[in-house]
Amino acid sequence: MIAEAGHYALVLAFGLALIQSVVPIVGARRGDIALMEMARSTALAQLLFVGASFCLLTALHVTSDFSVVNVFENSHSAKPLLYKITGVWGNHEGSMLLWVSILALFGAMVAAFGTNLPVSLRANVLAVQAWVAGAFYLFILLTSNPFARIAQPPIEGRDLNPILQDIGLAVHPPMLYLGYVGFSISFSFAVAALLEGRIDAAWARWVRPWTLVAWVFLTLGIAMGSYWAYYELGWGGWWFWDPVENASLMPWLAGTALLHSALVMEKRNALKVWTILLSILTFSLSLLGTFLVRSGVLTSVHAFATDPARGVFILLILCIFIGGSLALYALRAPSLKQGGLFAPISREGALVLNNLFLTTACATVFVGTLYPLGLEVLTSEKISVGAPFFNLTFGPLFVPLLIAVPFGPLLPWKRGDLLAASQRLTAAGIAALVAIALLFAWQRGGPMLAPLAIGLAVWVIAGVLSDIAERTGLFRIPFSVSLRRARGLPRSAWGTAFAHAGLGVALIGVVCETTWNSEYIATMKPDQVARVAGYELKLEGLTQRQGPNYRETLAQFAVSLDGKSLPVMTPSKRSFTTRGMSTTEAALLTRGASQLYVSLGDASADGGIAVRIYHKPLVLLIWWGPVLMAFGGVLSLSDRRLRVGAPKPARAARALQAAE
Amino acid sequence: MKRWSIILALAATVAIGSLAHAVQPDEIMEDPVKESRARELSKELRCMVCQNQSIDDSDAPLARDLRLLVRERIAAGDSDSQVIEFLVARYGEFVLLKPRFNPHTMLLWLLPPLALMGGGIALWVYSDRRRRAVVSERESLMKLSPDEEARLEKLLGAEPVPQPEEPHP
């Protein structure tokens, strides 16, 4: 019964989406308020039904109802409760259901909080949301039904892939989807604006917070996924330029560009047409990511061809939405009125430069990810495009971007003075040069690029600090006055500062980890001592333990630094009987931002065990950076001028803008 | 393969073998210089049965075979490029994670710089055109239309419009 109810709720949601995709648009054409307002009720009802469907699938997983295929294939009665719940989206069908649930959530949020939107705009936005939702409900119902039953239910399930039995699965996919799907709002707003043929600063005022919400989640989702891979996979890698990662990086790059161009549009009423295009592209890239991951096309072009139902369906969705929205764009964009002028050296100019580099970086990832697929389809020649390609092409694009970052916030709108901005960044420049010189002196004859890259990171961070110091008059006026000014700065200014500083922090982490990482790989026997980067690790012994649905081998390492003993590290290797697979659980010892990383390999016949020990200097900065960025995003979101649904405080906003 | 499934929690049914580590202790060469060369080369080579993983990262048996092969060639005195040549001759271009520049990969390599330059030029041309359009619009607003001039003349009582005086030298 539960499964059937869940299935039926999904069918009802699809029906509601169909109504919502037509009626409000008709209402907007005819100026019929009642028809337009219907979108709000259907959007809220959709959330209710999809939410119910999702909860029912969760109930099936929690109660281990193996008469449902999805539960049988991905669950086990002995699995801990947390993984029974997270296992709901640890598979294709369930993750698609999570996808549409989040879509319904965003739609309902527009319906609930969009009370001060023009009625026709809200109606059109919700209709476009319903198109997307309807397509994906149909996809689930036709090709990926999570509620399908088995005629003769088995007694035990096949268990969830052990690698996914981790807290990471509880956080990473929902975060990532909140980001991916969140961009659907900016897409719907863009398409609605094109349908109405009207776009103004109020539109940007609305789109920016939604984009920011999606961006914050996507940033955290990607960072979380990277940290998960780092600790779970046992060799300490954190970014692999894998097509699946690229699929999430592309919307992030486009979304970051969108965030910046929407700023120009809101403040200066310029770059309208471009902002609309970026909104469409960002969500298109989210859809592309969904296609790449869900269709199986990445595993092999041939796997895609042999079982094409799902792949072809998503490809169809992709073509209709991307093609349709771009066609609408081509038709309507020329009629949108262009905004104000600005000189190349200005805040707007800096933001355009940002967009140029971010979109080029996005295009680079795009071509690198899809080129091998395209080439194989066209010429059946197989090539690989991996990390070395991306490091060589993507990396250099970020150098000019990072050099430009501190200038942006220092330049005034409309017309700026590069010389004046440079003078204010003198201290930052000196800090960067000092950092470079010190690093060269310290490492003597090491890699050339690392000190320069760290210098660049210091430049970005010091630039942010100079900007804040400039705004608060630090060192020029009494400290207490500066403090009061700092409190008075708009939150969005602090948001910018944190997000930009996060960029520099992450860069320091990346450079330190890749350049000064030390590693020790050997077969160790009990009582042997390994020495890595000044740390001494003594293997005390190996023990066996029985977990809920696995057996594990634990190794105890006594760790000491300069004779001072540190906490014991116990990496383990788990073997899961149901699937006959094993996972490594690395042990991590955090010292400041650096980590000692120990993971186990195979045991040898003579009682030894393969061990890999890494010392990763400042590695945590790689993830602190994105966390800072996301925090900046949240700060900016809490700025009253931007708060989701906040009424437009015309006079106050103007006064604050002038203060900026 | 493992990393794949973890990253987006997708192919939960992907078969995953025993989870050994990438480089095994018994593979490491005695000469640290040669070993580090082997490691650097391994990062550029693809484990052909994996999803975009280098043989340095992968735990597949094939990756181990390739790592041993790379070390064998280095031990035999091959240079880095000779090792790469040897592997490409055996396994084709597919083994390279950084494809070589040839007619088939030209677009791949040239697109990023072209996109940047194209974008830059497009921006420049566009903003230049916009500025001119706005300036000419302003000028046309400042100038009087023939109708307006006729009215002005009438208002001024059909007197010829006085020419601005020549500035005295």
Side-chain angles (χ1 to χ4, degrees), chain A residues 406 428 456-466 500-506 508:
Chain A
L456 187 58
V458 170
W459 160 253
V460 171
I461 299 171
V464 166
L465 295 177
S466 331
H500 287 177
L503 212 54
V505 169
I508 293 181

Side-chain angles (χ1 to χ4, degrees), chain A residues 311-333:
Chain A
V312 168
F313 200 114
I314 305 192
L315 195 59
L316 217 62
I317 296 183
L318 202 69
C319 292
I320 292 174
F321 279 99
I322 300 179
S325 53
L326 288 180
L328 186 66
Y329 175 80
L331 208 65
R332 284 296 180 88

Side-chain angles (χ1 to χ4, degrees), chain B residues 63-75:
Chain B
R64 179 180 161 85
D65 293 346
L66 284 176
R67 283 194 300 268
L68 289 173
L69 194 59
V70 166
R71 285 170 173 77
E72 216 171 81
R73 297 311 309 170
I74 289 177

Side-chain angles (χ1 to χ4, degrees), chain A residues 90 161 163-164 169 172 176 228 232-235 240-245 293 298-299 338-339 341-342 352 356-357 360 364 367-368 371 381-386 388-389 392-393 519 521-523 573 579 581-582 584 599-602 610 612, chain B residues 2-14 16-25 28 39 43-44 46 51-53 57 93-99 102 104-109 111-112 115-116 119-120 123 126 130-131 134 138:
Chain A
N161 186 336
I163 287 173
L164 301 180
L169 183 61
H172 170 56
L176 205 60
W228 184 14
E232 179 71 26
L233 295 182
W235 75 89
F240 311 93
W241 293 107
D242 184 283
V244 177
E245 290 170 318
V293 174
L298 290 176
T299 326
Q338 289 290 339
L341 277 182
F342 51 86
V352 167
L356 177 63
F357 280 98
T360 307
T364 305
V367 72
Y371 202 86
E381 183 186 339
K382 284 174 77 121
I383 60 160
S384 307
V385 178
F389 170 84
L392 201 63
T393 51
E519 145 190 292
I521 305 172
T523 302
K573 229 177 122 67
R579 283 194 181 228
M581 291 164 57
S582 56
T584 47
S599 74
L600 300 180
D602 289 327
R612 353 185 82 206
Chain B
K2 291 165 289 139
R3 119 159 80 89
W4 227 66
S5 43
I6 189 176
I7 285 155
L8 267 184
L10 50 149
T13 48
V14 173
I16 295 171
S18 131
L19 203 126
H21 287 301
V23 181
Q24 296 294 307
I28 293 172
R39 291 300 293 276
K43 285 176 188 158
E44 307 259 323
R46 173 174 187 156
Q51 296 286 350
N52 244 40
Q53 263 179 314
D57 292 344
E93 297 271 331
F94 189 57
V95 79
L96 299 177
L97 279 171
K98 190 170 72 186
N102 63 33
H104 270 164
T105 60
M106 204 159 68
L107 200 59
L108 174 72
W109 280 107
L111 189 114
L116 191 65
L123 267 176
Y126 172 79
R130 278 268 299 143
R131 189 162 302 114
V134 171
R138 271 185 203 153

